[in-house]
Amino acid sequence: MSEQATRISEKVSAILDKYRHEEGMLVSILQDIQAEYNHLPKDALVEVSRRLGIPLTQVYSVATFFKAFSLTPRGRHSIHVCLGTACHVRGAVRVLDEVERELGIKAGETTADLKYTLERVNCVGACALGPIVIVDDQFSGEMTIDKVKPMLTSYD
Ligand code: FES
């Protein structure tokens, strides 16, 4: 077993202990693993399956059912660019293009340094302030391409 797999195994073990190895706590167990790694590593899912004695397919079906879970590494910060109709007509596509250009990734991807995950969303209910960009929980309204770089450099 690789060093990383051993570390994951130990961490999963501690999380399972916390939930007393109860199969009914699978969602909470996966939430804790996601919080630890910012995604659900394959080795962790295999370990959960093995230790709880439930099929790996069952673990994967829960892991892929909830949108909050990710099977691929995510950035420390999530950027959501609204492309709903109101934001779209106010220039959201140009804003998204600029974010993609600055980060060197496309929507749906994560930067290689795992700093940012970029996603597009539809209306987030703040149309009057569009275009809207949300970084983590912070809304920025009336976004322009000039505001993109200062916004990105303000995060660690
Ligand atoms: S369309 Fe972007 S907030 Fe409504």
Side-chain angles (χ1 to χ4, degrees):
M1 191 185 277
S2 71
E3 196 177 313
Q4 187 193 5
T6 303
R7 276 202 306 273
I8 287 176
S9 175
E10 289 169 0
K11 181 54 76 176
V12 168
S13 182
I15 291 170
L16 289 174
D17 285 348
K18 176 180 166 189
Y19 294 103
R20 294 194 286 277
H21 292 245
E22 288 180 28
E23 184 183 333
M25 299 305 289
L26 182 56
V27 172
S28 298
I29 290 165
L30 296 183
Q31 280 176 326
D32 278 20
I33 295 171
Q34 169 100 14
E36 180 71 26
Y37 297 102
N38 228 0
H39 76 293
L40 298 173
K42 180 171 175 257
D43 286 344
L45 298 183
V46 170
E47 198 68 14
V48 167
S49 163
R50 192 176 65 79
R51 289 181 184 242
L52 290 185
I54 57 178
L56 185 57
T57 51
Q58 187 179 331
V59 177
Y60 266 99
S61 72
V62 173
T64 53
F65 179 79
F66 294 99
K67 209 166 173 249
F69 294 138
S70 174
L71 297 178
T72 54
R74 295 181 58 82
R76 294 191 303 283
H77 302 290
S78 61
I79 303 175
H80 290 90
V81 178
C82 180
L83 289 182
T85 306
C87 288
H88 192 280
V89 298
R90 291 167 187 242
V93 172
R94 285 196 305 279
V95 171
L96 176 62
D97 285 347
E98 182 66 7
V99 177
E100 289 180 337
R101 198 185 62 73
E102 279 290 337
L103 296 180
I105 59 172
K106 294 290 183 190
E109 296 177 347
T110 296
T111 55
D113 61 1
L114 298 181
K115 183 172 180 182
Y116 290 112
T117 294
L118 175 61
E119 290 178 302
R120 41 169 88 195
V121 287
N122 288 318
C123 185
V124 292
C127 308
L129 297 174
I132 299 286
V133 175
I134 308 161
V135 182
D136 300 331
D137 295 328
Q138 187 151 1
F139 278 60
S140 296
E142 300 178 341
M143 280 298 293
T144 63
I145 58 175
D146 293 339
K147 292 180 182 175
V148 167
K149 191 167 186 178
M151 176 190 75
L152 294 174
T153 53
S154 69
Y155 289 90
D156 293 331

